[in-house]
Amino acid sequence: MEEKKFDVKTLVGFGLIMLLLIWMLYNQSSDAEAQRLEQEKKEQVESEKQQQLTENENDTPVANDSTATTPEVSAAEYKNALGAFAYSATLPSAKATEATEITNGLLTLKIANKGGYITSARLNNFEQIHEGSGKPVKLIHDNNANLNLQFQTKDNRILNTQDLHFEPVLSKDGDNQVLTMRLKAGAEQYLEYRYVVKPNEYMMDFSIRTQGLSNVVNTSKPIDLEWQLKGYRNAKSVTYENRYTELVYEYEDGKDDYLGQGSADAEIAEDVTYIAYKQHFFTSILLTDTPFKTADLKSENLVKDEEIDTTFTKNFVAKVPLAFKGGELSYNMNWYYGPSDYKILNSYDRNLDEVMPLGWGIFGWINRYIFIPLFGALSSFIPYGIAIIIFTILVRLVMSPITYKSYLSQAKMKVIRPEIAELNEKYKKDPMKKQQETMKLYNKAGVSPMAGCLPALMQIPVFYALFQFFPSYFDLRQKSFLWADDLSSYDSIAHLPFYIPFYGNHVSLFPILASLAIFFYMKMTTGDQSMAQPPQEGMPDMGKIMKVMIYISPVMMLIFFNNYASGLSLYYFISNLITIGIMFVIKNYIVKEDKVHAMIQEHKAKPKKQGKFQQRMQAMMEQAQEQQKNKQIKK
């Protein structure tokens, strides 16, 4: 897939892509029975929801003819169902249809009286980009999210805030808009949600506290907070978007982890400081100043068939306990509803950059400190498509010395191949002696079999970092180049009237160009690679394997990247073109066979002094050879 050589020395890198592809195929597979069970489950859930809504309407009546004419009966019903919190249900704000709307330029939020939580979160500057859409991105809309506190009262009632009515008060604090939502058990007894929305900010302050409820609520046990969200699809390919949709969390003073891409994943973490529901290019995050002692986290994959399941990607659920201190509850938190943009998330200095899948270890280091600043600088003054091309040229130029060293090693191995063949024939009945003499030849000629392998391995961190960089770079979203109308999504040039498994129902051009480039590159180098490595006895003929890989690798790229970001396919296309050019120059003007032969002969003429490692290896081989002779004599 990457610009490195596809020989035995670089199969490690190619194996990574094989594993990724196998994982995709496994994750997408489902049989008819599974779909039927899933559909029955959905129908059952919807039926239960409808039944619950009906029961709630019957149990907690709102303003209608009955309540207007018999208020004393309504109050009694409320008291019987809600105890002390019947006070809140009798206030004028107790209307399920009412909500308070707040906008700060970037965000438009709606907070409902019933439940007191955000029922709509719209990002004003972004649109959905799947076919036939163009609607604004809504992270929360139409009951896809819920925030609920479940608690026990002193009279042993179990109440859920999602079913109760809060009293809203909207005020101003400088330029900030402040909304307090109070669930009241009396005039000065309440549970309060406090939202502070700042101008042109995706992050808002959020606090939960109680006042005067120590005689109403059972404070001997924590209140259970549950936050649930089903991620809406916002991209053209629901499968591609779902691949980068995941639950990320920080725990135990700075550690971070995520739930995988399985059909249903769960984890219990301790001392959690934030929980992020990442939807590829957009993210909903709950942060807390006081770490949650434990968090029960769940992620359910809702995309079983991308032709059927086209609305939601994953269902996230987090359950955390909120502990009382001194008989009261007090938690200062934050909400973030906004882009999965590394620059924005990193600016809050809350370790939120870990939400971005930039890779672990050296891979993430390369992305954070090299690729993101470099590409950001290029794209600040030139179009994004041109920036990708220049970025690719710079990366390939920096990597060209590694390409040179790898090819030089192959050229040397190719020159001494006849001598190795002679040793193989001469000592074919004595493998130990053959290995010993081969090592001597390598040392004498100044050739190391690992010299070609190490440069190839050095390219793997760069390759993997780029593989993570392009799908995660938010600024590519809705940026066009040539026929690609969005560099963060696939570049469809034709829509198929049928669906091809694992490929899709469209044709992307950049993956085709990248596949052709990698085919010609492998065609150009495979002959030299097979000649550089003579077949070993008992080992498969890598020359034959490489000839097969010439055709398999482009096909895999074509299938695998048809639904990927066109920016990534553009990079691979340009990268392979540049690599072909670099290899052509090296092969025809720099590393010529006669020059390599002269180099080896010159090295052979020099006196050789074995290093300590070579001396130990030589001694071990001679000792093993001597033991083998003694065994034969005894026989």
Side-chain angles (χ1 to χ4, degrees), residues 182 187-192 209-214 328-329:
R182 290 178 177 176
E188 299 299 326
Q189 295 174 295
Y190 52 81
L191 166 70
E192 179 184 86
R209 71 182 188 96
T210 60
Q211 178 174 301
L213 293 183
S214 57
E328 299 291 352
L329 201 67

Side-chain angles (χ1 to χ4, degrees), residues 225-228 275 277 296-298 316-320:
L225 180 151
E226 179 176 298
W227 177 36
Q228 176 267 335
I275 302 167
Y277 296 162
D296 187 355
L297 308 170
K298 297 180 181 178
F316 301 116
V317 180
K319 296 181 181 180
V320 300

